[in-house]
Amino acid sequence: MAPAPPAPGTLSGVLIAESLRVGSELSGVPLQVTAIQRIAVDDATADQPRHWTLLHFRAPENAAGQLAEALASCLAPTGGWYVDYSTTTEAYVVFADRVFRYARGDAATRAEVEAYARSVGVPEAQLDWRD
């Protein structure tokens, strides 16, 4: 199930529950969970479980920066985890302690983010965020 395209004034994305650091808390950001999905993963790394819980979400577009900073402090630093979401004009890709934000469709910046993702252990098959 792919996330629905964001409506004007909103953002939408997917958070993998297993990507959160133990003991972390994501709070203070007005998220609305739109779907919860449990999947088997064929291309999980050695540091990732074989089953993931996907939390499809949306939030007000004006919360995009706040959400990115909150997620960057909650994601596990090992395992090649990230969260991606987008507004109608921008894509966000968030890693532990690192946030990327770029105009949707900007292939050069996306390539930079993909290179960073590979450097932190994201497998090629998981470089599938929508921008």
Side-chain angles (χ1 to χ4, degrees):
M1 168 187 272
T10 65
L11 60 85
S12 65
V14 177
L15 168 65
I16 300 168
E18 291 76 13
S19 70
L20 298 172
R21 293 180 197 187
V22 172
S24 67
E25 179 179 318
L26 180 61
S27 61
V29 181
L31 291 180
Q32 178 185 18
V33 175
T34 59
I36 299 174
Q37 184 179 16
R38 186 86 168 137
I39 62 169
V41 180
D42 295 331
D43 60 357
T45 69
D47 293 328
Q48 296 174 337
R50 300 289 179 234
H51 296 93
W52 294 356
T53 307
L54 307 181
L55 305 170
H56 297 261
F57 64 86
R58 68 179 165 209
E61 185 172 347
N62 63 5
Q66 177 187 7
L67 176 59
E69 293 304 317
L71 287 167
S73 68
C74 288
L75 290 174
T78 59
W81 296 110
Y82 69 87
V83 175
D84 69 287
Y85 57 93
S86 59
T87 68
T88 54
T89 60
E90 293 183 304
Y92 287 77
V93 185
V94 182
F95 301 86
D97 303 316
R98 186 82 189 261
V99 174
F100 292 91
R101 172 184 175 185
Y102 60 95
R104 292 180 72 179
D106 179 346
T109 304
R110 181 186 173 106
E112 291 174 25
V113 180
E114 288 175 342
Y116 178 81
R118 288 182 194 99
S119 79
V120 296
V122 178
E124 201 66 32
Q126 292 179 19
L127 301 176
D128 60 352
W129 61 85
R130 178 181 52 128
D131 61 8

